[in-house]
Amino acid sequence: MKPDQLDLKMASQFSQLALGCVLREYPHVQFYWLEKGEDFIPPRQLTPAFYGCLDWHSAVHNHWMLVRLMRLFCHASFNNTAREVISQNITCENISAEVVHLQSQPRFECPYGLAWLLQLTGELREWEDIQAKKWLEILQPLEAVAVQNLQQWWQNISYPNRTGSHSQTAFALGLIWDYAIAHHPTLTPEIEEKIRQFYLNDCNHPLHLEPWGYDFLSPTLAEADLMRRLLSPEDFAPWLTQFLPKLPTEKQTDWLQPVSVENPQDYAQSHFDGLNLSRAWMLEGIISKLPHNDSRIPALEAVALVHREKGLNLVSAVDYSGSHWLGSFAVYLMTKRGLSMHKN
């Protein structure tokens, strides 16, 4: 496997972002159900594997990033430290505690964080490395509970969440779909039925109103990036026409501009760096499933490029507000993780 536009220097920088937070407990944000005062437990005790990086989901996708970077750069100097840190967190004892928490809190980090956990276990499955196989074996009980909780989630939701943050349905289903087709194919009929129910007949989506609040995901582009996973090029092109009928057919960028971060120390504004990155990979996903002669491709490529360039500046990564999570989004984009299993 070869990296795409990611060199060793950048990989080392991204790895340092992750290593700077996966063992850092505070500051911390946690959301889970409390019945009584005794239910409040410090993060390191409650979720001892994924307690760092401000929140559980960021800890998970930083572990994913370290694993992916080690796969890509197997002889990099950061590998030894990354292996030590991951081995410190992913132990049988720690994962047993994580399992207890997920079993008692089935809505915890559902769907976003659990979808990233499946990305982590999927990455480990695809890596022919002895230590990676040990980590995967330790993680499998947690993976099983995550799959169970996610399955319960998608079976019980009646309407998609179309916001631009963690609760969004389309983005999570995209990560889950990628995991399922590669590692758990028995889940795909159920997931596909739900995706088609939610999105197949959508039309005239209001892309021009985005971003909403402090989005780090585009509701519109995430949906299109999800649908390209299911549909053939011949079916996806007309679906995109009904969904976004006003897409330009000339090479221009004024129809979707990147968003700027004015205050890098603002945790909410750091989302805009992530939005630019996720928009870039979603646009690339959309392009990948269009017929090669589709007239919309030049406009989509132009906008994807400006978002990629803007996002990879990582303005807010100078502060913990961005450094605790943006590296993983940059690596997901630069290594084309969302495209690797979906080729025309």
Side-chain angles (χ1 to χ4, degrees):
M1 181 173 56
K2 295 181 180 180
D4 185 344
Q5 300 181 22
L6 179 65
D7 60 24
L8 177 59
K9 180 180 179 181
M10 296 183 71
S12 298
Q13 291 172 344
F14 292 142
S15 71
Q16 293 310 307
L17 294 180
L19 293 171
C21 72
V22 291
L23 300 178
R24 179 174 172 176
E25 185 173 10
Y26 295 105
H28 196 88
V29 176
Q30 194 76 287
F31 296 97
Y32 60 96
W33 190 266
L34 300 174
E35 291 285 354
K36 54 188 182 301
E38 292 77 8
D39 291 339
F40 180 76
I41 303 172
R44 192 186 291 263
Q45 297 176 36
L46 184 69
T47 57
F50 304 115
Y51 62 87
C53 302
L54 190 74
D55 45 50
W56 194 88
H57 54 261
S58 297
V60 170
H61 55 73
N62 271 290
H63 281 76
W64 165 82
M65 178 177 68
L66 288 173
V67 170
R68 187 151 182 82
L69 290 175
M70 285 190 288
R71 284 187 66 198
L72 288 166
F73 300 92
C74 58
H75 300 298
S77 60
F78 59 78
N79 280 15
N80 288 339
T81 303
R83 287 178 181 274
E84 291 173 5
V85 167
I86 294 174
S87 295
Q88 181 176 330
N89 285 345
I90 298 180
T91 66
C92 292
E93 181 180 3
N94 288 350
I95 296 304
S96 293
E98 296 270 358
V99 167
V100 170
H101 180 59
L102 275 194
Q103 288 175 330
S104 66
Q105 300 276 345
R107 296 182 181 180
F108 178 75
E109 289 286 357
C110 190
Y112 181 82
L114 300 187
W116 274 109
L117 180 70
L118 299 188
Q119 287 291 304
L120 171 59
T121 59
E123 195 76 41
L124 290 169
R125 276 192 172 84
E126 297 163 29
W127 189 14
E128 294 300 324
D129 178 86
I130 294 174
Q131 195 168 32
K133 299 305 178 187
K134 293 180 180 178
W135 293 332
L136 176 61
E137 183 179 0
I138 294 170
L139 279 167
Q140 282 181 308
L142 187 64
E143 176 188 43
V145 179
V147 169
Q148 179 181 349
N149 290 359
L150 284 167
Q151 191 170 23
Q152 183 179 18
W153 163 74
W154 75 61
Q155 287 174 346
N156 288 298
I157 52 175
S158 299
Y159 302 96
N161 184 302
R162 300 180 187 274
T163 60
S165 57
H166 308 89
S167 298
Q168 188 194 112
T169 310
F171 176 71
L173 286 174
L175 295 187
I176 296 165
W177 177 264
D178 289 350
Y179 164 84
I181 62 168
H183 308 295
H184 207 323
T186 58
L187 294 174
T188 57
E190 250 186 76
I191 301 170
E192 180 171 359
E193 180 181 4
K194 184 63 70 171
I195 292 172
R196 290 180 179 273
Q197 172 193 335
F198 282 166
Y199 304 117
L200 187 61
N201 297 316
D202 279 2
C203 58
N204 298 310
H205 218 258
L207 178 61
H208 64 284
L209 295 180
E210 297 182 19
W212 302 337
Y214 291 104
D215 291 354
F216 65 90
L217 302 168
S218 163
T220 303
L221 298 181
E223 178 175 339
D225 192 36
L226 173 64
M227 292 303 293
R228 61 90 182 165
R229 288 167 158 94
L230 270 66
L231 302 178
S232 67
E234 294 74 23
D235 291 333
F236 180 64
W239 179 88
L240 187 64
T241 298
Q242 76 173 26
F243 183 61
L244 291 173
K246 296 182 179 180
L247 281 179
T249 57
E250 297 180 0
K251 187 175 182 179
Q252 59 190 80
T253 60
D254 57 354
W255 60 277
L256 186 64
Q257 292 291 324
V259 185
S260 297
V261 175
E262 303 298 333
N263 180 3
Q265 296 180 324
D266 187 310
Y267 279 73
Q269 281 198 38
S270 76
H271 280 189
F272 292 152
D273 274 334
L275 177 63
N276 292 328
L277 292 167
S278 63
R279 277 181 174 180
W281 81 57
M282 290 169 186
L283 288 160
E284 291 178 1
I286 294 166
I287 294 165
S288 74
K289 212 53 178 290
L290 289 173
H292 297 303
N293 61 349
D294 193 291
S295 61
R296 295 165 290 190
I297 290 178
L300 292 167
E301 288 179 335
V303 167
L305 180 60
V306 297
H307 278 80
R308 170 186 280 261
E309 292 175 346
K310 182 81 169 181
L312 289 175
N313 282 329
L314 297 180
V315 173
S316 53
V318 300
D319 187 81
Y320 197 59
S321 62
S323 67
H324 78 275
W325 69 286
L326 284 172
S328 53
F329 268 47
V331 170
Y332 189 91
L333 166 65
M334 298 184 76
T335 64
K336 297 186 180 294
R337 180 56 176 166
L339 295 175
S340 59
M341 302 175 195
H342 304 272
K343 297 180 180 178
N344 289 354

